[in-house]
């Protein structure tokens, strides 16, 4: 049984979702050994320690480690032994080890696979993963409507989109009914080397969309170890 979360970590409302997320979330891609080997013991221990310190938001994807991240996070959350409403889980769809597929059929199947790996009955947020690599019109006309059906079925509570170029957010949000997309996740755009997300915040607020700023260390760029080989930054920046 995990200890109660630390009471002093600030909780912040996420857009109009009604969710209150810890100001620091747990990005679970490392549990998929994306940045180096992580044992099952260490994965479960890190989830437990994060929760104990007051983190209640955990984000993953079937793409991270080829489903390994979801599996390890699922084991870690189960080991907490606390009621489901004490933590908030986000996973993604559309990007997989074998490639991108934002079709309604694939994302509908994807959530069932993710729920099985996470050992959960529902996720709080399901996000279309890195939508710039797909057709944005397909995201608007096919993927998001499919996610709305999953929402009605109770498998997900809220719908999100993620991407690196900020322009993908305005493209989609300007073409879906208000309130259709609940959350955006932007990464590497709110740190010391790139703070362009700040310019978009008034627009996102006007749309009633919650904002998650991911990878404040720019996917390892700002760490002492430096970025992994696959990092897209220029050699000069690295």
């Amino acid at each position: 049984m995990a200890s109660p979360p630390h009471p002093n970590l600030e909780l912040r409302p996420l857009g109009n979702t009604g969710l209150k997320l810890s100001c620091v979330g747990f990005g679970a891609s490392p549990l998929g050994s994306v940045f180096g080997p992580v044992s099952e013991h260490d994965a479960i221990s890190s989830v437990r320690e994060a929760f104990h310190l007051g983190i209640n938001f955990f984000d993953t994807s079937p793409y991270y480690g080829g489903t390994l991240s979801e599996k390890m996070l699922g084991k870690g959350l189960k080991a907490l032994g606390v009621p489901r409403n004490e933590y908030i889980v986000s996973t993604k769809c559309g990007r997989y080890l074998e490639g991108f597929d934002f079709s309604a059929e694939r994302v509908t199947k994807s959530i069932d696979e993710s729920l099985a790996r996470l050992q959960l009955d529902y996720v709080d947020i399901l996000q279309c993963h890195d939508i710039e690599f797909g057709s944005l019109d397909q995201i608007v006309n096919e993927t998001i409507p499919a996610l709305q059906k999953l929402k009605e079925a109770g498998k997900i509570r809220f719908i999100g989109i993620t991407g690196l170029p900020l322009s993908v957010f305005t493209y989609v949000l300007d073409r879906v009914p208000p309130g259709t997309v609940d959350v955006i996740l932007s990464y590497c755009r709110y740190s010391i080397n790139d703070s362009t997300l700040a310019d978009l915040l008034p627009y996102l607020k006007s749309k009633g969309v919650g904002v998650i700023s991911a990878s404040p260390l720019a996917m390892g760029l700002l760490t002492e170890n430096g970025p992994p080989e696959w990092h897209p930054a220029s050699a000069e920046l690295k």
Side-chain angles (χ1 to χ4, degrees), residues 5-236:
H6 195 282
N8 296 323
L9 194 57
E10 180 187 353
L11 298 179
R12 296 177 183 170
L14 183 64
N16 295 329
T17 63
L19 298 174
K20 291 187 177 181
L21 276 60
S22 50
C23 57
V24 175
F26 186 102
S29 63
L31 302 190
S33 295
V34 172
F35 296 94
V38 176
S39 69
E40 181 173 323
H41 174 271
D42 287 348
I44 292 172
S45 297
S46 65
V47 171
R48 181 183 292 113
E49 181 67 9
F51 185 78
H52 174 67
L53 292 173
I55 291 175
N56 72 349
F57 174 57
F58 298 85
D59 177 81
T60 184
S61 167
Y63 175 66
Y64 301 150
T67 74
L68 182 60
S69 172
E70 285 188 327
K71 292 172 184 173
M72 291 297 101
L73 180 59
K75 291 179 179 180
L77 293 173
K78 187 173 184 180
L80 292 178
V82 300
R84 172 66 181 85
N85 63 2
E86 290 194 15
Y87 52 82
I88 296 161
V89 178
S90 169
T91 194
K92 305 180 183 76
C93 63
R95 184 171 196 179
Y96 312 96
L97 202 60
E98 61 271 21
F100 291 90
D101 188 344
F102 291 102
S103 67
E105 180 182 8
R106 183 67 186 98
V107 300
T108 301
K109 182 182 177 185
S110 182
I111 186 59
D112 289 332
E113 296 167 347
S114 290
L115 291 175
R117 289 188 286 262
L118 289 163
Q119 304 181 59
L120 299 175
D121 295 326
Y122 68 91
V123 294
D124 299 278
I125 307 167
L126 182 62
Q127 307 178 80
C128 304
H129 194 176
D130 290 344
I131 59 175
E132 68 267 28
F133 293 102
S135 160
L136 295 183
D137 290 327
Q138 182 186 31
I139 300 294
V140 169
N141 298 314
E142 181 179 352
T143 317
I144 290 175
L147 267 54
Q148 287 179 291
K149 291 181 180 179
L150 296 177
K151 193 174 182 178
E152 293 166 5
K155 294 182 179 182
I156 70 176
R157 295 177 67 194
F158 301 104
I159 294 169
I161 52 178
T162 87
L164 185 62
L166 296 177
S167 59
V168 300
F169 300 127
T170 54
Y171 188 95
V172 171
L173 292 172
D174 285 342
R175 288 166 175 78
V176 298
T180 305
V181 172
D182 303 290
V183 182
I184 69 107
L185 182 149
S186 170
Y187 61 98
C188 301
R189 298 294 193 190
Y190 200 70
S191 54
I192 61 173
N193 63 306
D194 186 336
S195 59
T196 48
L197 176 62
D199 297 332
L200 196 63
L201 293 179
Y203 166 87
L204 294 168
K205 188 173 183 179
S206 75
K207 293 286 188 179
V209 174
V211 180
I212 299 169
S213 175
S215 199
L217 298 179
M219 298 191 294
L221 185 69
L222 304 177
T223 63
E224 291 183 359
N225 290 335
E229 288 184 11
W230 50 258
H231 199 285
S234 67
E236 182 184 11

